[in-house]
Amino acid sequence: MKNRMLVGAIALISTVALGGCGMIPGSSGPGGKKVTIWLMKDSVTSDFLDRFKESYEDEHSSIELEFKIQSWSGIGPKVLEALGGKDTPDVIEVGNTQVAQYAESGNLRDLTLESMRDLGSEDWLPGLAEPGSIAGVQYGIPWYAANRVVIYNKDLFEEAGIKSPPKTRDQWIEDSEKLNRNGNQGMYLPGQNWYVLAGFIWDEGGELADDKGGDWQGQLGTPAALKGMDFYSELQALGNGPKDADEEKPPQSDVFAKGDVAQIISTPSTATLIEKANPELKGKLGYFPIPGKTAKAPGSVFTGGSDLIIPQKADQRSAGFEVIKALAGAKWQEELAKAMSYVPNKTTLAHVIEGEESTAAMAAGAARGHATPNSSQWAAVEAANPIKPYMTAVLQGGDPATEAKTASEKITALLAGS
């Protein structure tokens, strides 16, 4: 799945493969090996790649790294062609929820042993590790993560007498009610922000869909999922978010920038867009993890981000894994977190972003991260997305159980390929 959450926050990368170490482009040098890596546009900066390439090639004199930058648009068919043997690279960056689709081709290298032996997989963020594992086989190696937090207007919190961010759902509702007065919106939450809904459903122990003996079935009608939707409705009512639109229509950053919205739920990168639209808000934005049902842990969130895979037909599979080992290792995870404000791939590396309020809030939530159902057909669900009209129908007064049943049946059909 395209990593939509990071758009607009990251500097562009040159689309030209980086040269290095005096070698002639296209040559790996006498007796050397060239490792070709596909990375996605906007994932990292050219400066990060320059530094990684120089350091890696200094430490591995027989290796030349060739980075080829790919566009998210149309990437699925291109990756499948590459996995089938057409201009196959040695390493590919993919959206964490895309791994199941590519694994279905049978053309991914099994990295289970390496994950346990060399990469410390027991400490990986679950929202990145889980979608990279299919039927107990680890194909995707977690690289970086990003997830939603609550972005708030510090001035409006102070005016309402709120001295610290809430840590529980109950306190969150109480604070949002205080903020939702005097012409201000306590919470701007569009009616179709289904990623946020997913977190509330996971908090209740529910799922969007579940694998029932090999058959995926929509699960929006379960008691747990209905509780998640009920909480979403309660929170959504504490502002003027449209019931029939998502966070892009209109862009919630523009709405927040007007100065009369106390909170939105988004990735920290949205703050850049807010401050650009209204420079007067610079320095007045705060961040906290989405509150959980108790103060013991923050709420569940959808974890977006990327995994790294190795095609079975790659020429340099072993050398490719060594590159992944470096990119996913502690040294370059720390560099990546600092350069891009990403959440590192392990819970044990959360300390590297201490002092960065926005990223620290994101990392706290990432420890409770989830991914969308690990079905190769999930992309079809997102394309048709029966979850959005379900949410709108409930918010407009429809019976939740009836609407959930209808949406779940559509999800089930889509996951069955029909």
Side-chain angles (χ1 to χ4, degrees):
M1 182 186 75
K2 177 180 177 180
N3 191 354
R4 295 179 296 272
M5 301 201 308
L6 306 176
V7 173
I10 305 165
L12 295 179
I13 310 167
S14 169
T15 56
V16 179
L18 301 177
C21 299
M23 291 184 179
I24 299 172
S27 167
S28 58
K33 297 178 181 179
K34 177 189 287 186
V35 179
T36 301
I37 304 108
W38 283 9
L39 296 184
M40 302 309 299
K41 182 181 178 183
D42 297 343
S43 285
V44 294
T45 63
S46 56
D47 175 68
F48 175 87
L49 282 189
D50 283 336
R51 289 188 289 112
F52 177 79
K53 179 179 172 68
E54 181 178 1
S55 174
Y56 193 89
E57 292 180 345
D58 281 348
E59 295 174 5
H60 304 80
S61 58
S62 64
I63 298 294
E64 178 194 359
L65 301 184
E66 178 185 41
F67 291 100
K68 293 187 176 182
I69 308 306
Q70 309 295 323
S71 170
W72 284 109
S73 178
I75 190 60
K78 187 171 184 178
V79 169
L80 289 172
E81 283 188 356
L83 294 178
K86 182 178 180 180
D87 298 324
T88 307
D90 302 300
V91 177
I92 306 175
E93 175 195 352
V94 300
N96 59 323
T97 60
Q98 292 177 327
V99 178
Q101 173 188 359
Y102 301 140
E104 191 177 45
S105 72
N107 291 320
L108 296 188
R109 181 178 175 182
D110 179 349
L111 300 173
T112 307
L113 176 61
E114 292 90 340
S115 297
M116 295 185 292
R117 184 189 63 202
D118 301 324
L119 297 177
S121 57
E122 66 275 7
D123 295 322
W124 282 342
L125 295 175
L128 287 182
E130 290 169 3
S133 177
I134 313 298
V137 178
Q138 195 73 43
Y139 294 108
I141 304 302
W143 190 25
Y144 64 79
N147 50 267
R148 289 163 175 78
V149 300
V150 182
I151 302 176
Y152 71 98
N153 184 316
K154 291 181 178 180
D155 285 352
L156 296 184
F157 266 57
E158 183 177 353
E159 290 173 12
I162 301 171
K163 297 182 180 180
S164 60
K167 295 185 181 297
T168 67
R169 278 191 187 181
D170 289 342
Q171 187 62 53
W172 194 19
I173 292 293
E174 184 177 326
D175 288 349
S176 297
E177 289 173 341
K178 292 179 182 177
L179 293 159
N180 193 45
R181 58 187 64 172
N182 301 325
N184 296 324
Q185 297 186 56
M187 166 65 71
Y188 179 83
L189 181 59
Q192 295 184 348
N193 196 329
W194 68 277
Y195 285 118
V196 173
L197 170 63
F200 298 158
I201 290 175
W202 289 323
D203 275 345
E204 300 292 350
E207 295 288 346
L208 300 175
D210 202 6
D211 186 355
K212 301 291 187 180
D215 294 323
W216 283 91
Q217 297 178 11
Q219 297 290 300
L220 295 179
T222 64
L226 290 172
K227 284 183 181 178
M229 184 65 218
D230 184 63
F231 181 74
Y232 189 100
S233 300
E234 184 178 7
L235 190 64
Q236 200 272 338
L238 298 175
N240 300 326
K243 294 179 172 59
D244 59 352
D246 62 21
E247 61 272 30
E248 296 299 327
K249 301 174 183 177
Q252 62 179 350
S253 57
D254 291 347
V255 177
F256 190 97
K258 295 177 182 178
D260 60 355
V261 171
Q263 306 170 87
I264 59 172
I265 302 173
S266 188
T267 55
S269 62
T270 301
T272 302
L273 303 177
I274 293 169
E275 293 173 353
K276 182 177 180 180
N278 184 358
E280 293 183 3
L281 288 176
K282 192 173 182 63
K284 298 181 178 180
L285 303 182
Y287 312 83
F288 59 89
I290 293 174
K293 297 183 72 174
T294 72
K296 293 181 180 180
S300 300
V301 293
F302 166 74
T303 302
S306 286
D307 283 13
L308 299 170
I309 62 174
I310 295 180
Q312 191 67 264
K313 297 182 180 181
D315 290 333
Q316 305 294 344
R317 294 190 297 275
S318 295
F321 175 74
E322 291 302 314
V323 174
I324 288 180
K325 186 176 176 181
L327 286 170
K331 174 184 176 181
W332 288 100
Q333 280 291 297
E334 181 173 352
E335 291 288 331
L336 187 62
K338 291 178 178 178
M340 308 304 301
S341 296
Y342 288 150
V343 177
N345 62 4
K346 291 184 177 180
T347 56
T348 51
L349 294 175
H351 66 277
V352 306
I353 50 177
E354 289 177 357
E356 296 291 335
E357 182 184 3
S358 62
T359 317
M362 194 162 56
R368 297 263 295 160
H370 294 252
T372 48
N374 209 5
S375 164
S376 60
Q377 297 297 319
W378 185 255
V381 175
E382 290 200 19
N385 212 327
I387 305 173
K388 288 185 173 184
Y390 154 67
M391 297 172 71
T392 294
V394 173
L395 293 173
Q396 291 180 340
D399 176 64
T402 301
E403 300 296 343
K405 182 175 184 294
T406 299
S408 292
E409 289 173 349
K410 292 178 180 178
I411 291 173
T412 299
L414 289 163
L415 290 176
S418 57

